[in-house]
Amino acid sequence: MLKVKDLHVYYGGIHALKGLNFQIEKGEIITLIGSNGAGKTSTLRAISNLIKSKGSIKYKDQEINDLNAEKIVGMRLIQVPEGRRIFTALSVEENLLMGAYLRKDNEKIEEDLQYVYKLFPRLKERTKQYGGTLSGGEQQMLAIGRALMSAPELLMLDEPSMGLAPIVIEEIFQAIKEINQENGLTVLLVEQNANIALQTAHRGYVIETGEILFTGNAKDLLHDDRVRKAYLGEE
Ligand code: ATP
């Protein structure tokens, strides 16, 4: 579904991504794990074409490097940005419907709205509440729900666990698994929390200072000494 080859990103003199290679098959949850500043956000922003990059990004066999960000959203490649970026002065339901602004299939939009409410009952209890008054966890649910309202084929999540309590993280990652299992949605998950990311994903890539160090099945990576020492805080 997505094939990234020799991807480079520069910020002025800083070479942030140094030739990344990875791919995602339809129906997979893939995680990109790495510490602060490793290049995870830059990777997602390059795929969504929010920043300039060099190399090849093929989505469903089409080169998308030169397409503008809106076109990419139209191709159902949807990113949930780091820090949620919900509309604070709009209600929960208005936020969700903003996700569907490019769609015209009204009946399916209503069906998807009910699906989001089933997935996140806390949002259903708060349809009229302003986005800005939600807790961090609820805002993350809203950001994911809004992305689902765009009918994604590939959903990219940038650090959904950031700043949240463990119990809320569990709830959100359980929902990510559920969407994948029920709808076969393909997911690219970028995380610093290697533990939860590897428990959720099928495969993982470890990224440091703009390079992929190694890759493998998520279960194998969870038990890999290099991952345990560097990302799970074990000796
Ligand atoms: P974090 O979890 O902190 O967001 P990350 O793995 O997502 O980290 P990136 O945000 O992609 O990492 O950053 C990769 C590198 O690029 C870092 O060295 C960062 O300082 C640099 N960088 C990111 N954005 C910019 C920018 N707008 N201008 C200059 N340098 C940047």
Side-chain angles (χ1 to χ4, degrees), residues 9-12 14-17 33-45 51 82 158-159 162 190-192 207 209-210:
V9 165
Y10 297 85
Y11 297 105
I14 298 172
H15 194 179
L17 296 185
I33 55 171
S35 39
N36 240 333
K40 304 181 299 299
T41 298
S42 299
T43 305
L44 294 195
R45 290 175 67 82
I51 51 170
E82 189 174 343
D158 195 348
E159 299 211 25
M162 197 170 61
V190 154
E191 261 300 337
Q192 269 191 59
I207 176 172
T209 54

Side-chain angles (χ1 to χ4, degrees), residues 66-119:
D66 296 329
L67 300 182
N68 67 36
E70 191 169 62
K71 196 111 192 202
I72 290 174
V73 170
M75 292 172 79
R76 313 286 194 212
L77 205 175
I78 311 293
Q79 181 178 346
V80 180
E82 189 174 343
R84 1 269 191 216
R85 309 249 182 92
I86 56 151
F87 301 105
T88 53
L90 294 185
S91 72
V92 164
E93 190 144 310
E94 285 165 344
N95 265 278
L96 291 172
L97 292 173
M98 285 300 275
Y101 80 102
L102 283 177
R103 298 175 59 184
K104 297 192 172 57
D105 49 344
N106 289 344
E107 268 179 33
K108 186 75 175 48
I109 291 173
E110 178 57 31
E111 205 178 290
D112 288 349
L113 186 64
Q114 295 312 319
Y115 179 75
V116 170
Y117 285 147
K118 183 175 135 270
L119 194 66

